[in-house]
Amino acid sequence: MTSLTSLLDTHNCYLLGHRGARGEQLENSKAGFIHTQQLSQISSNNWQKKKLVGIEFDVQLTLDGQLVVFHDDTLLRLFSHQSRIEQLTAAQLQRISCSASADQSGPILLLRQMPEFIKNYSHIELEIKTSNRTNYQQLIQSLKQCLITPEFKTLSLTLTSFDVHLLEKLQADTFLSQCKRGLLVEPACPQLTLKIMAQPAFRHAEPLTPSTHPILINDIKNAVMSTGQPFANTVLIALRLGCSSIGLFYPLFDSSFIAQCQRYDLATTAWTVNNIDSAKHLIKLGVNYLITDYPNTFLCS
């Protein structure tokens, strides 16, 4: 049986650590980013290509206009605190996270602190989180204040988002339009996501194909996505927004979608892939990047 690392060596596909390496260290933490850096350095040798080439992490806006490296809307899941990120200043968030961290993982990081943890990567996906309360003008200003600095200008960043409105604003901005941008897409209906995940094929890491799952495949193709449009329009939306890549909830990938992306020179990222057999299937399909919670496990497979 062909190993995962062998497939990575022979295909145009690479690994990205998800929020650092959230299955192996606290997500979006200093310890997690250092852990992934170390894995990346040992993931290649003199005769093989590097396999773990970067990470994905999230940022969102605080009450005082800072960008913090954090995924959730609130502190509840990680720090047992009810407050929303946008309701607190960066200093308050860092104080709460420090006092609530049983493992002494340190405070929530700010985006401006990130360059030292993400240098030497060839692909970094910076997901920008928004909500219906987002101050877009402040968000754009805060992004530019960070990304215009010399430390960030040397990094291989792709700005990604589910938010089409934000991507339109990035495209319209003189500076941010020069950054690589990626469209993220998932089913708008949580019930469809649950339906996909409930399939035996999904649980056993088998591909969902028109011959084996015709009704479900039809549901996916016709479903409204997070873009507000059917899945079939995804590539056209990405091209309209000037994106260079598309990131999908990984069961949405099939050979026809990959072919369409390749036709328009759009890179592809699958998330979040934690099953070895699913990873092998996606590599063979031609997906360019796999985001995983378990980079160390994948590198040993």
Side-chain angles (χ1 to χ4, degrees):
M1 182 181 294
T2 307
S3 69
L4 177 63
T5 51
S6 294
L7 284 174
L8 288 169
D9 277 332
T10 56
H11 291 71
N12 185 31
C13 187
Y14 303 88
L15 300 179
L16 304 177
H18 187 213
R19 305 179 203 165
R22 71 183 294 261
E24 298 166 359
Q25 295 283 342
L26 179 67
E27 65 185 63
N28 285 328
S29 68
K30 178 179 178 179
F33 295 132
I34 292 173
H35 169 74
T36 313
Q37 267 188 332
Q38 292 170 341
L39 287 177
S40 178
Q41 289 167 4
I42 63 174
S43 74
S44 65
N45 54 39
N46 291 332
W47 63 90
Q48 292 178 324
K49 74 174 189 181
K50 182 174 284 190
K51 300 170 184 67
L52 177 62
V53 298
I55 59 168
E56 181 273 353
F57 67 97
D58 316 274
V59 298
Q60 53 186 305
L61 200 60
T62 65
L63 181 63
D64 58 339
Q66 297 290 313
L67 286 167
V68 289
V69 181
F70 202 75
H71 175 270
D72 294 4
D73 291 340
T74 76
L75 296 170
L76 187 61
R77 177 173 62 91
L78 291 185
F79 301 115
S80 303
H81 198 284
Q82 293 280 1
S83 295
R84 299 184 64 86
I85 300 301
E86 81 243 5
Q87 294 174 327
L88 299 172
T89 65
Q92 289 172 322
L93 288 164
Q94 291 188 314
R95 185 165 59 251
I96 291 168
S97 59
C98 266
S99 61
S101 294
D103 60 358
Q104 302 298 308
S105 56
I108 291 175
L109 293 166
L110 304 179
L111 176 58
R112 58 181 167 81
Q113 296 175 297
M114 286 300 293
E116 68 173 294
F117 305 116
I118 56 179
K119 59 187 177 182
N120 301 322
Y121 286 139
S122 61
H123 189 82
I124 303 158
E125 298 203 2
L126 193 170
E127 181 183 344
I128 306 164
K129 311 293 285 187
T130 62
S131 71
N132 56 10
R133 295 165 296 277
T134 296
N135 179 336
Y136 285 95
Q137 183 176 355
Q138 179 63 66
L139 177 57
I140 294 294
Q141 181 180 338
S142 298
L143 276 170
K144 288 200 289 188
Q145 285 175 344
C146 278
L147 300 185
I148 205 166
T149 62
E151 294 82 6
F152 276 96
K153 282 190 172 182
T154 60
L155 299 175
S156 299
L157 284 174
T158 298
L159 307 181
T160 68
S161 184
F162 290 96
D163 188 339
V164 171
H165 183 55
L166 172 63
L167 289 168
E168 288 172 341
K169 289 187 173 295
L170 297 180
Q171 184 180 29
D173 185 86
T174 303
F175 172 72
L176 294 174
S177 62
Q178 300 174 46
C179 300
K180 289 185 178 179
R181 303 179 305 283
L183 173 65
L184 301 179
V185 178
E186 64 182 351
C189 174
Q191 286 73 24
L192 178 57
T193 303
L194 293 173
K195 185 176 179 181
I196 294 170
M197 296 177 70
Q199 296 296 313
F202 180 90
R203 293 197 299 272
H204 296 112
E206 299 168 359
L208 303 173
T209 65
S211 60
T212 59
H213 298 81
I215 296 176
L216 181 56
I217 294 296
N218 192 55
D219 285 347
I220 292 171
K221 297 302 182 185
N222 294 316
V224 174
M225 295 287 127
S226 48
T227 57
Q229 296 193 34
F231 181 69
N233 294 349
T234 297
V235 168
L236 293 177
I237 295 168
L239 293 172
R240 175 177 65 81
L241 293 169
C243 292
S244 60
S245 63
I246 297 176
L248 296 184
F249 174 48
Y250 78 86
L252 297 177
F253 277 106
D254 62 17
S255 56
S256 63
F257 186 81
I258 292 291
Q260 193 179 10
C261 288
Q262 291 174 341
R263 188 178 307 127
Y264 292 103
D265 200 26
L266 290 167
T268 48
T269 299
W271 50 269
T272 302
V273 187
N274 292 330
N275 180 284
I276 299 297
D277 289 333
S278 296
K280 290 180 179 180
H281 169 65
L282 292 161
I283 293 169
K284 291 174 183 176
L285 274 182
V287 173
N288 299 124
Y289 298 98
L290 305 182
I291 294 178
T292 180
D293 293 335
Y294 300 97
N296 190 39
T297 300
F298 273 29
L299 290 171
C300 296
S301 300

